[in-house]
Amino acid sequence: MKRTIFGAAAALALAASAPCAQAQSFINVLTGGTSGVYYPLGVAIGKIYGDKIPNVKTQVQATKASVENLILLQQGRGELAFTLGDSLKAAWDGEEEAGFKTKLDKLRTIGAIYPNYIQIVATTESGIKTLADLKGKSLSVGAPKSGTELNSRAILAAAGMSYKDLGKVEYLPFAESVDLMKNRQLNATLQSAGLGVASLKDLSTSSPITVVSVPKETVDKIGPPFVSAIIPANTYTGQDKDVPTAAVINYLVTSSAVSDDLAYQMTKLIYESLPELQNAHAAGKEIKLETAATGSPVPLHPGAIRYYKEKELIK
């Protein structure tokens, strides 16, 4: 009888521990639209984790990007997410206007990655050359619940405009925006992404474009986490000059529900697999271990802290 009771208790204990073990053996990587930068980098990270973390299965999920990703993390529906720094701050503060009804208190940072450049591209035939020229014209401001859309609001506000000043506002992902521009149904698109984003490369090789400047004085009106940056000449076909713009840092974020050991491995493999990330997308070349532990508006995960202490990046 004692053996039977002990056996039943052991079975119950094993069953009780199973959900926890199962939760830590699966990593869902939350990215963005398939034509952006998050997705190819996410695919590369999913492969790295699947190959190098024992007994782990990975999945890469295309999403509407930053805002949706952070909400999914809070709900326990992902283990790693890409996000823009301003969206991350808004989530931590619980800014309802940004799409967060409450403070997302389970968010924990893995590390800073590359800067997103605000890339405003217009068809040459639209006549748009400056931010002021967007008045009365049609603009795609990014997918709903995306960091790009929040960036669009910030840039227009700093330029003394709002959506009401535009002729038409489209809330579309990158690829869909470009399709409309090719078909002469849209004048311009604002895309917040790493340099060399696939959608804009595609557009620039098929239609004459103008890359619209965001002047330093406009960026300064927004302030941190936005900084002035340059889109180098020849980033896109037909863009023969450097173009001033704004940039904001991207972060990889996880949840407090992820174990310290798993978060440590996730962090370590990101910054020790940079060649693989560079091969996945040009934006990967801008990911630096030296700046990984800096600037996040959300606390670092204890597992990430352990790795950064090993590398003497933090005390």
Side-chain angles (χ1 to χ4, degrees), residues 84-99:
L84 279 163
D86 58 333
S87 299
L88 186 57
K89 184 179 188 303
W92 189 247
D93 294 341
E95 290 183 17
E96 191 164 353
E97 285 188 9

Side-chain angles (χ1 to χ4, degrees), residues 113-115 117 194-195 278 282-288 291:
I113 44 175
Y114 65 92
Y117 292 77
L195 292 175
Q278 291 165 6
K285 296 175 183 176
E286 300 188 65
I287 303 174
K288 312 289 184 186
T291 55

Side-chain angles (χ1 to χ4, degrees), residues 45-120:
I45 290 170
K47 186 176 189 309
I48 291 164
Y49 287 170
D51 290 346
K52 297 183 179 180
I53 303 179
N55 303 315
V56 160
K57 292 183 179 180
T58 60
Q59 172 181 300
V60 179
Q61 182 176 342
T63 67
K64 294 175 183 175
S66 297
V67 177
E68 182 181 14
N69 288 352
L70 297 172
I71 292 170
L72 289 172
L73 273 186
Q74 179 77 11
Q75 294 172 344
R77 296 168 62 190
E79 285 68 44
L80 185 74
F82 288 78
T83 183
L84 279 163
D86 58 333
S87 299
L88 186 57
K89 184 179 188 303
W92 189 247
D93 294 341
E95 290 183 17
E96 191 164 353
E97 285 188 9
F100 306 105
K101 294 180 180 178
T102 59
K103 174 183 168 70
L104 304 191
D105 58 355
K106 295 180 182 178
L107 302 179
R108 298 292 183 271
T109 297
I110 289 292
I113 44 175
Y114 65 92
N116 252 32
Y117 292 77
I118 306 303
Q119 299 168 78
I120 304 173

Side-chain angles (χ1 to χ4, degrees), residues 35-192:
S35 61
V37 179
Y38 287 175
Y39 188 79
L41 287 178
V43 170
I45 290 170
K47 186 176 189 309
I48 291 164
Y49 287 170
D51 290 346
K52 297 183 179 180
I53 303 179
N55 303 315
V56 160
K57 292 183 179 180
T58 60
Q59 172 181 300
V60 179
Q61 182 176 342
T63 67
K64 294 175 183 175
S66 297
V67 177
E68 182 181 14
N69 288 352
L70 297 172
I71 292 170
L72 289 172
L73 273 186
Q74 179 77 11
Q75 294 172 344
R77 296 168 62 190
E79 285 68 44
L80 185 74
F82 288 78
T83 183
L84 279 163
D86 58 333
S87 299
L88 186 57
K89 184 179 188 303
W92 189 247
D93 294 341
E95 290 183 17
E96 191 164 353
E97 285 188 9
F100 306 105
K101 294 180 180 178
T102 59
K103 174 183 168 70
L104 304 191
D105 58 355
K106 295 180 182 178
L107 302 179
R108 298 292 183 271
T109 297
I110 289 292
I113 44 175
Y114 65 92
N116 252 32
Y117 292 77
I118 306 303
Q119 299 168 78
I120 304 173
V121 175
T123 59
T124 299
E125 69 177 14
S126 71
I128 297 169
K129 295 181 180 179
T130 68
L131 287 175
D133 293 337
L134 290 169
K135 290 183 178 180
K137 300 295 175 68
S138 56
L139 173 70
S140 179
V141 296
K145 294 187 177 181
S146 71
T148 292
E149 202 266 316
L150 296 184
N151 289 173
S152 296
R153 291 174 184 268
I155 295 294
L156 289 173
M161 290 186 284
S162 71
Y163 290 168
K164 292 179 181 178
D165 294 302
L166 302 174
K168 187 178 183 182
V169 180
E170 297 281 4
Y171 298 85
L172 295 171
F174 295 173
E176 286 86 338
S177 301
V178 164
D179 286 343
L180 286 187
M181 291 176 75
K182 287 180 180 178
N183 294 327
R184 298 182 173 181
Q185 295 175 287
L186 181 69
N187 298 134
T189 178
L190 185 151
Q191 304 197 0
S192 179

Side-chain angles (χ1 to χ4, degrees), residues 304-315:
I305 290 173
R306 176 181 150 198
Y307 175 70
Y308 295 134
K309 283 184 175 179
E310 284 182 3
K311 292 296 179 179
E312 299 182 345
L313 292 174
I314 57 178
K315 295 181 179 179

